[in-house]
Amino acid sequence: MSAVPHLTEEQVAELCDLETVTDWLERAWRDLGAGEAATTLRVRAAAPGLMGSAMAASWPRHQVVGGKLYLTHPGGFAFLVGLFSPAAGLVATFDGLGLTAIRTAAASALAVRHLAPPDATTAAVFGTGNQSRPHMQALAQELPLRDLRVWGRDPGKAEEVAAWGRDWGIPARAVADPDGAVSGARVVATVTSSYTPVFDVGLGPHRERQTRATVTSSYTPVFDGSLLDPAALVCAVGSTKADRQEVDSTTVQRTGFVVSDSAEGARTEAGDLIHAAAEGVFDWDSLADLADVIAGTVTPPQPGSGIVLFESQGVALQDVVIATLAYQRSL
């Protein structure tokens, strides 16, 4: 029996360009909205300091089933994606970190494609981690950008990310003030952890002062929602657990349309909406699914007529789409 191929993060990046992934994901979500594909909710097995998560999807268009299993721990993440077919069983496995970055940016690209105001030339990216660069590419792919602001808690990292964007022909610049980043931006992508460590400063064993950053933490919105352009699209990507709040309740309250990649999953994972609902400024019954928008079963407001919020938690169908593309191209 031949060995099952394993595609590394570098191989996935070489095989899967963002534009093609976006087009494939659009087709898959149209299938999902039409009942011709399926994806599960994420399940988690959490214990102190260690968590395992899993999710799966079925895409009959390509006769594939797949899923993602991953580790979350204080030092970061580790992902593995598997792809199956009825004819061959397990056909390939994939490193999941790079795959996750590309497919998440593609989801935001689709939200921009379907929901952004038509005259959006100014955008902002909040965050300087793994998702910042793919999201800059997604915005440049879908918008006629003239000004892309990059904000991060570390100004040096923000300038590094902006410089990378300029090297790719994206009109990016680092900004030091989050209010300045969001003011006038027609599309805003938040890709931070919204994680603020609360440092505990005490005395060490030899009476020297020492700092520990692991005692407590808080999750804080990254900009003031009252400053949003009245027709802006906000792609909120970083708030994927109930305790996180990357976008404040003012933003949610001002929106005319809220959509998620999983309206069902958002009830337990979209911290932005969970906080807003607890404050009485958001009604879960108003939440739409992006797959239904793409399939045409839900009609959104006219783009540019009001603030739109896209809450992205990530669903297994996204992983299966890019795994299928990478596998087919690898052949």
Side-chain angles (χ1 to χ4, degrees):
M1 185 176 72
S2 60
V4 173
H6 177 80
L7 276 67
T8 66
E9 184 176 334
E10 292 76 19
Q11 288 172 308
V12 171
E14 290 175 1
L15 292 164
C16 298
D17 61 286
L18 181 61
E19 185 174 2
T20 304
V21 171
T22 304
D23 292 341
W24 275 49
L25 183 57
E26 185 172 40
R27 189 177 305 125
W29 265 343
R30 189 174 292 114
D31 290 345
L32 182 62
E36 296 172 1
T39 192
T40 68
L41 298 179
R42 191 186 338 260
V43 294
R44 304 184 192 271
L50 200 63
M51 182 167 67
S53 303
M55 50 188 181
S58 173
W59 196 17
R61 177 186 292 272
H62 286 271
Q63 286 295 289
V64 290
V65 165
K68 181 161 67 177
L69 179 67
Y70 64 98
L71 159 73
T72 306
H73 62 102
F77 303 87
F79 299 89
L80 179 69
V81 173
L83 187 68
F84 301 80
S85 78
L90 179 64
V91 297
T93 59
F94 308 79
D95 286 346
L97 185 60
L99 185 152
T100 299
I102 298 171
R103 60 81 147 154
T104 304
S108 294
L110 273 184
V112 172
R113 182 176 295 181
H114 287 268
L115 300 169
D119 56 347
T121 60
T122 301
V125 171
F126 284 77
T128 57
N130 290 333
Q131 285 291 342
S132 59
R133 290 168 175 83
H135 271 78
M136 291 171 67
Q137 290 179 311
L139 293 172
Q141 171 184 292
E142 299 296 329
L143 299 172
L145 283 178
R146 295 179 183 172
D147 182 22
L148 177 59
R149 298 95 174 255
V150 179
W151 178 87
R153 289 188 177 87
D154 183 332
K157 288 183 179 179
E159 176 52 42
E160 181 181 322
V161 171
W164 177 91
R166 291 192 295 271
D167 288 342
W168 281 86
I170 301 170
R173 60 187 176 95
V175 294
D177 178 19
D179 292 348
V182 75
S183 181
R186 302 283 272 177
V187 177
V188 177
T190 58
V191 293
T192 77
S193 65
S194 191
Y195 174 76
T196 305
V198 179
F199 293 96
D200 177 27
V201 179
L203 295 178
H206 302 291
R207 310 300 294 172
E208 77 277 11
R209 291 177 65 81
Q210 64 179 16
T211 302
R212 298 186 300 275
T214 57
V215 178
T216 57
S217 62
S218 64
Y219 295 100
T220 307
V222 292
F223 64 82
D224 180 355
S226 67
L227 301 176
L228 274 171
D229 184 284
L233 167 65
V234 179
C235 296
V237 178
S239 179
T240 56
K241 292 184 176 64
D243 60 341
R244 296 185 178 183
Q245 189 178 17
E246 191 180 41
V247 171
D248 64 14
S249 295
T250 300
T251 297
V252 180
Q253 188 173 25
R254 291 185 64 200
T255 56
F257 187 64
V258 184
V259 61
S260 176
D261 52 7
S262 173
E264 185 180 3
R267 290 176 177 264
T268 57
E269 294 189 346
D272 299 329
L273 303 183
I274 291 169
H275 281 84
E279 295 174 25
V281 299
F282 176 69
D283 180 2
W284 286 109
D285 291 338
S286 67
L287 180 61
D289 240 308
L290 185 58
D292 293 332
V293 172
I294 293 172
T297 57
V298 169
T299 303
Q302 184 69 25
S305 62
I307 294 174
V308 175
L309 173 61
F310 169 55
E311 284 282 347
S312 175
Q313 277 75 60
V315 297
L317 185 58
Q318 296 167 267
D319 298 294
V320 169
V321 166
I322 190 170
T324 302
L325 175 63
Y327 176 68
Q328 290 187 8
R329 285 186 165 179
S330 75
L331 299 178

